[in-house]
Amino acid sequence: MSLPSRRLFLLAPLALAACGFRPVYGPGGNGTALQNNVLVDAPNDRNSYLLTRTLEERLGRSATPSYALALTVLTLEDGLATDTFGNTQRFDILGTVDYALRDVASGRIVTSGQVENFTGYSTTGTTVATLASQQDAQVRLMTILADQIVTRLYAADLSA
């Protein structure tokens, strides 16, 4: 490794500090502000339950929350592959979640947005295997969407 490369590597933390970078779990970071401080709205179906469960695993649960997180979950199944008899062999589950984080004290929406993703499952096998594949795909999709929401909440400006 040449000497100029080392100098640039050592100056990288200063450049990040100059652009307003803060560690998520550092002092004043969003990870610290949100951890055990968010109340996720009660789920109303299986997918929103799976999403809420994963969000609570990531953010923690609070007895006295500072923030409330509202979610609207929409999923759609789309058949992809069919065999020569016209039976669908593979499905995609498309998921969209609209979210809004609001300050409990003031009622003001701190940040909001939408995340989208998809997973798939195969129907080749027994009815029980197909149902298990479908339910596993739903769990994977809600986990992916929850991780996207948490990432966006950590990147949001909570002070605005």
Side-chain angles (χ1 to χ4, degrees):
M1 182 183 244
S2 66
L3 190 55
S5 299
R6 290 182 190 162
R7 286 184 188 152
L8 291 175
F9 179 72
L10 293 173
L11 293 176
L14 294 175
L16 288 174
C19 74
F21 172 79
R22 313 184 276 224
V24 169
Y25 291 107
N30 284 358
T32 306
L34 294 174
Q35 190 64 41
N36 296 321
N37 232 357
V38 177
L39 175 66
V40 182
D41 287 354
N44 56 6
D45 62 6
R46 183 175 189 276
N47 284 330
S48 60
Y49 165 76
L50 294 169
L51 182 67
T52 300
R53 181 182 72 181
T54 306
L55 285 167
E56 287 179 347
E57 287 172 4
R58 306 292 192 265
L59 297 172
R61 295 179 82 176
S62 175
T64 56
S66 299
Y67 300 99
L69 184 61
L71 304 169
T72 304
V73 180
L74 177 66
T75 58
L76 174 69
E77 281 198 21
D78 190 21
L80 293 180
T82 57
D83 61 13
T84 56
F85 301 107
N87 300 319
T88 304
Q89 298 291 316
R90 183 146 186 89
F91 283 92
D92 264 357
I93 304 176
L94 311 168
T96 303
V97 177
D98 293 313
Y99 66 91
L101 183 72
R102 68 184 182 282
D103 186 295
V104 171
S106 68
R108 144 184 100 78
I109 294 180
V110 178
T111 187
S112 63
Q114 183 181 73
V115 293
E116 300 175 319
N117 222 306
F118 71 96
T119 57
Y121 68 96
S122 177
T123 62
T124 56
T126 65
T127 304
V128 173
T130 298
L131 183 59
S133 294
Q134 180 188 37
Q135 290 175 346
D136 180 65
Q138 291 169 342
V139 170
R140 285 184 284 121
L141 178 60
M142 293 304 124
T143 301
I144 292 166
L145 293 169
D147 288 342
Q148 287 180 297
I149 292 169
V150 170
T151 300
R152 297 242 182 123
L153 294 178
Y154 285 165
D157 183 9
L158 300 181
S159 63

